[in-house]
Amino acid sequence: TGNGLGIENPYYYIQQVNRFYVYFGPVQQEPLTVFFGAVGFGSALILFRHLFSRRQAMMMAELPQDRTKDLLQRTGCFGILAILPTVLCLGLYALLVQTNGLDVFFRPGIFFNGCAAIVMTELYGYTMGVLCASVCGTVWSTVLAGVVFTVSVEVIVAGWTMIAEGYLNSMPTGRLNETLKTFSPAVTLYKGIGDPEKFVWLPGVIAIVLFAALGLWAYRKNRPENVGK
């Protein structure tokens, strides 16, 4: 009606087509966000597993290779084994949309925002994993540190809400909550996957660059005698 396709609400279909997980349903947004972040974080645990074994760490320390070069090579493996398949799958989805009569709903800007949010979520998990693995020295402490990094903003918001309502007899201001959520990389990446049209990329980029720089510094400073402690 009015658009030549007999569809009353084309904007709904534009939203659906430009979110690649349409076939999973919107209720699956949370697990998919966790999945992409876990792909990055898990890749870091696998590629840097020598940081959890003192024997392997000692063997790596004997090699003449520079730590910076070693980290870049491992990051290249991550790009080939994790980022590249994701990009290829997203490209295949876009091709299927174009070749199956849905191109009238396809919006490259919205779709590429969603793709950027997905790839950045993987990079966010990976760079965080490298930093945590280089600092912590054990698998479980690395995972715990990753969880703390990810949910710290949500914990702050929940704690402030509980204190304000339970002990101050007042309602917490929404400005604090919105500010924390606006600058939280995890929240903005989650929202970017769910609603690519409103994706705010700056917090995620800053977090990835910061984690990458700190991870490189920590990896260069890592000593075999600290592994497993």
Side-chain angles (χ1 to χ4, degrees), residues 12-214:
Y12 169 79
Y13 293 94
I14 290 173
Q15 284 186 313
Q16 295 300 302
V17 167
N18 290 282
R19 290 186 293 185
F20 86 100
Y21 63 88
V22 56
Y23 298 110
F24 298 97
V27 72
Q28 297 295 326
Q29 179 186 344
E30 291 83 358
L32 285 174
T33 304
V34 172
F35 169 77
F36 289 118
V39 166
F41 195 87
S43 298
L45 295 183
I46 294 172
L47 290 170
F48 292 86
R49 61 186 180 276
H50 61 281
L51 297 177
F52 308 130
S53 169
R54 183 170 299 182
R55 185 172 69 87
Q56 293 186 23
M58 293 293 290
M59 292 175 59
M60 289 293 299
E62 296 297 327
L63 297 177
Q65 188 175 28
D66 180 69
R67 281 293 182 98
T68 301
K69 184 177 180 181
D70 179 63
L71 186 144
L72 292 176
Q73 289 178 341
R74 295 175 190 274
T75 301
C77 292
F78 167 70
I80 295 173
L81 298 176
I83 298 295
L84 182 59
T86 300
V87 173
L88 291 177
C89 288
L90 293 171
L92 178 60
Y93 175 82
L95 180 62
L96 292 174
V97 168
Q98 294 286 336
T99 57
N100 282 274
L102 297 174
D103 55 298
V104 67
F105 300 118
F106 188 71
R107 299 294 184 272
I110 299 176
F111 179 74
F112 290 131
N113 276 354
C115 295
I118 291 168
V119 172
M120 286 175 61
T121 301
E122 291 185 336
L123 288 171
Y124 178 76
Y126 174 76
T127 53
M128 181 198 301
V130 173
L131 173 60
C132 294
S134 300
V135 171
C136 295
T138 63
V139 175
W140 293 113
S141 60
T142 298
V143 173
L144 179 60
V147 172
V148 171
F149 271 127
T150 303
V151 303
S152 57
V153 172
E154 288 76 8
V155 171
I156 292 173
V157 173
W160 167 248
T161 302
M162 181 182 68
I163 292 173
E165 292 180 349
Y167 298 97
L168 303 179
N169 294 322
S170 65
M171 294 296 294
T173 174
R175 183 177 299 176
L176 174 61
N177 293 359
E178 289 302 316
T179 300
L180 289 172
K181 292 179 180 179
T182 299
F183 291 99
S184 166
V187 174
T188 54
L189 290 172
Y190 165 77
K191 290 183 176 181
I193 294 177
D195 191 0
E197 191 173 6
K198 300 178 181 178
F199 177 45
V200 180
W201 54 268
L202 186 58
V205 170
I206 294 175
I208 291 170
V209 172
L210 183 61
F211 282 146
L214 291 175

Side-chain angles (χ1 to χ4, degrees), residues 211-222:
F211 282 146
L214 291 175
L216 174 60
W217 176 81
Y219 188 58
R220 288 176 59 88
K221 295 294 183 180
N222 183 274

